[in-house]
Structures are given as structure tokens and as C-alpha cells.
Amino acid sequence: MNKEEKHDLVLALSEQMKEYGNFYITDTSDLTVAKINDIRRKCFDSNIKMQVAKNSLIKKAMEAAGGDYTEIYNVLKGSSSILFSKSATAPAKLIKQLRKGGDKPILKAAYIDSAIFIGDNQIDALTKLKSKEQLIGEIIGLLQSPAKNVVSALQSGGNTLAGLVKTLQERG
């Protein structure tokens, strides 16, 4: 790979880091070409983009992307593959599924919306993360709950303040 190709790869990786917001760095060393191709196919089916790159180029891409990735730099050793996804949990679930058939890929690190997870022991936690949409939905539900109680109390206790207070007291 010449200097211009390396520069293009770094640029492409940094753009993907910005675009997706979530990426996983895994160790896929010692896997056969057939196994790597199988992983790529499963990534494609799960809307995950897989890219194999040298660690030095991954580090340069992180620096070019502008985020704080310094905690990840220490895991950039050996062979590395990057999994990009719009979903924070999809790569973790895929890795867990792939591990049923062998001991790789191994999670080195994950970057999820500015949170960094280091080590393969984080896989279970990553599979259970909730998306932004799920969290926003839960917050809206919590915020709507008191308003629904007031509306319900107004409807069942009449429109008087005394009726509202009485109904709210009965509900606890």
C-alpha cells in the first residue's frame, strides 16, 4: 500500500467514525479466509460495515476524527478489524453469536456515542445497552405519567379542585 492509499484509508476510516458514531475494534487474527468471509457476510446481513486495517492507520484515523480516543490506543496491537454500525448493540450481538462457533472475534474496544468500553469482558454489557430512542421513550413515558394522573383525576373527580384533591388522595 503506497502513501496515497494509506492517506485515503485513514480519511475513509475517520469519516466512518464520525458518520456512524459507534465502532468496535476486534481481534480476528489466525482466522481462515473462509471464516473472515463468513464474518463479513454476517456483518453485511446485520448492517454492519467491517474494515481490516493496520493499527497505526486506525490510530491516525481516530486522531483525524477529532474525538477523545486515547483510552483505545493501548489496545491497538496485533491484528485489528473495525466494525461500524448505526446500532450500538448490533456488533456486540453479532460477536456473541460468532463466538458460539469459536473463540474469535475478540473485542478489544468499543466506542459508543463517546463512551469507551475496553476488553472482551464488556460484550455482555454492550449487548444490553439501550438505544437513544429507547431511552428517550422511557423518559417521555416517565414525564407523561404525572400528567396522565392529573388528567385522569380531573375526569373522574369532576372539575372542582376539591374533587381533584380527593381523587389524588385516594390514588395515593
Side-chain angles (χ1 to χ4, degrees):
M1 184 178 278
N2 66 34
K3 193 172 186 175
E4 187 176 317
E5 290 171 331
K6 289 179 183 178
H7 174 73
D8 291 344
L9 179 60
V10 167
L11 185 62
L13 288 174
S14 68
E15 288 301 317
Q16 289 170 338
M17 288 173 185
K18 291 177 198 174
E19 176 189 345
Y20 286 95
N22 305 310
F23 63 89
Y24 286 58
I25 300 175
T26 63
D27 176 3
T28 53
S29 63
D30 303 328
L31 293 177
T32 65
V33 173
K35 183 68 175 169
I36 294 285
N37 288 338
D38 182 51
I39 292 171
R40 285 184 190 277
R41 193 171 17 267
K42 288 179 178 172
C43 283
F44 180 80
D45 292 343
S46 301
N47 293 321
I48 299 169
K49 183 171 171 59
M50 180 179 175
Q51 178 76 45
V52 178
K54 288 186 171 190
N55 293 317
S56 59
L57 299 179
I58 294 171
K59 184 177 178 183
K60 286 180 182 182
M62 287 180 193
E63 291 167 350
D68 182 17
Y69 304 103
T70 52
E71 288 181 59
I72 299 175
Y73 295 162
N74 291 333
V75 301
L76 294 175
K77 297 176 176 109
S79 177
S80 296
S81 300
I82 305 178
L83 306 177
F84 295 100
S85 177
K86 294 284 185 186
S87 165
T89 59
K93 290 176 181 176
L94 179 62
I95 290 169
K96 200 166 183 175
Q97 176 192 356
L98 292 168
R99 296 278 288 279
K100 291 177 183 175
D103 61 343
K104 292 207 176 171
I106 296 172
L107 177 67
K108 292 181 174 185
Y111 183 86
I112 312 295
D113 290 326
S114 76
I116 295 174
F117 299 83
I118 303 290
D120 195 56
N121 60 340
Q122 299 292 320
I123 284 288
D124 288 331
L126 288 165
T127 60
K128 296 174 186 169
L129 286 179
K130 293 184 179 182
S131 70
K132 280 184 185 177
E133 291 78 17
Q134 290 171 320
L135 291 172
I136 290 170
E138 286 182 12
I139 290 170
I140 289 172
L142 290 171
L143 292 173
Q144 286 179 339
S145 183
K148 285 181 183 177
N149 287 340
V150 170
V151 169
S152 174
L154 281 172
Q155 289 173 343
S156 67
N159 290 330
T160 66
L161 184 58
L164 172 63
V165 170
K166 181 180 177 189
T167 304
L168 288 173
Q169 287 174 341
E170 288 172 358
R171 292 184 180 188

